[in-house]
Amino acid sequence: MKRRFLAVSTALLVCAAVAGCSQSAGSAGGPRKVTLWLMKGSASDEFIARFTDSFEKEHPGTDLEVKIQEWTGIGKKVDAVLDGKAEESADVIEVGNTQVAQYIENGGIEELTLEGLREWGSKDWLKGLSDPGSVNGAQYGIPWYAANRVVIYNKDLFANAGVKVPPKNRQEWIQATQKLDKGGQQGIYLAGQNWYVLAGFVWDEGGELAVETSGQWVGTLDDEKALAGMEFYKQLQALGDGPKDADEETPPQSEVFARGQVAQIIAPPSQAAAIEAANPALKGKIGFFPIPGKTSDKVGSVFTGGSDLIIPERTGNRRGAVDVITALVSEKWQTELARAMGYVPNKTTLAHVVEGNEGAATMAPGAAQGRATPKSARWAEVEGKNPIKPFMTAVLTGRDPKQAARTASEEISRVLSSDR
């Protein structure tokens, strides 16, 4: 790795010994500007306007500038800021939770462990957001918001099949889906290469996609626990006509569901809007329930998507940057963002604020135990090549699961552990 990480205890001792280590070195006279980069679509224009106005009123002498960034090409732009080679500067940057590990490895991010402990309630953070932002116990990425997959279902088809309540565990889920899968109706539309869903099933079995051993990352899809997750995926996928050799966007599963003959899909609740736009007759007939777990007392594991906030070491206003994050992760603005955008707040203790939003409230139980992809700076390269998808297709089309999993695991190991 390109930077060394101090143990948290050492970092805390240093902060205690150096006066004002968590303060910015502000200059007197004139307003100080704080620049916040947010990704397009993460927050509404109305939210940004109200947040900016509120922040500036509560922090006299500070001007908050919010710049909206596109996801395409953002990695190079963030790296340039962290390296000090960018034409633009930023004091706080929103980054995808699975991107943080790469930025941490490259260096140039402020450690915020102390602020997390003292000011931001880190003990209650969603692990799927906080874990990717930490290295050796030191926190660099601060959880902002989360979203995850749930089961979206057609209420009419459930009622017609005699399924009166959503299933609470895998056995009930399979039984209900078997009832729903009849004639020209699909019990579930599950594309063969929806690897995010597979990841949850693997985690439920106690397996992993990859693990780090003695500084080397190793793919583990050929582990018996991971294979058990794939076996359940195969059993569920067979109760519909999803393509075995394509992912959930080929074709978009919301469009398939909108035709009215699919009882269930696994997707973020936000896809309900696309379904209703494609088929207004389904408005009011769409329901949600958490992905069932192996037993009724625990919902299924899910991949947690969402964003973290980072502060570049080269910020010229560290105190202002910390103040921005303090505001964004406060209960007031977490509530405002969650309700405006249908997200899950960054803490388990704030799940109640979305109780009035059926989709977000359904996500919350899964988010509380959600996971992120392996915490390797090179995981994005795995997703680019994505040996998991052909592995899934191979199993679904009758090839030997162990052999297919071994091939995929070897490719994951090669990508994660080879020299750049």
Side-chain angles (χ1 to χ4, degrees), residues 41-45 47 145 270 335-344 357 360 363:
S42 289
S44 66
D45 292 342
F47 173 91
Y145 70 82
S270 58
T335 301
E336 293 272 353
L337 183 68
R339 290 178 177 173
M341 305 301 295
Y343 297 145
V344 178
N357 182 315
M363 286 193 291

Side-chain angles (χ1 to χ4, degrees), residues 2-19:
K2 296 181 181 179
R3 65 177 295 164
R4 293 182 178 179
F5 299 102
L6 298 176
V8 174
S9 58
T10 303
L12 296 180
L13 287 173
V14 171
C15 276
V18 181

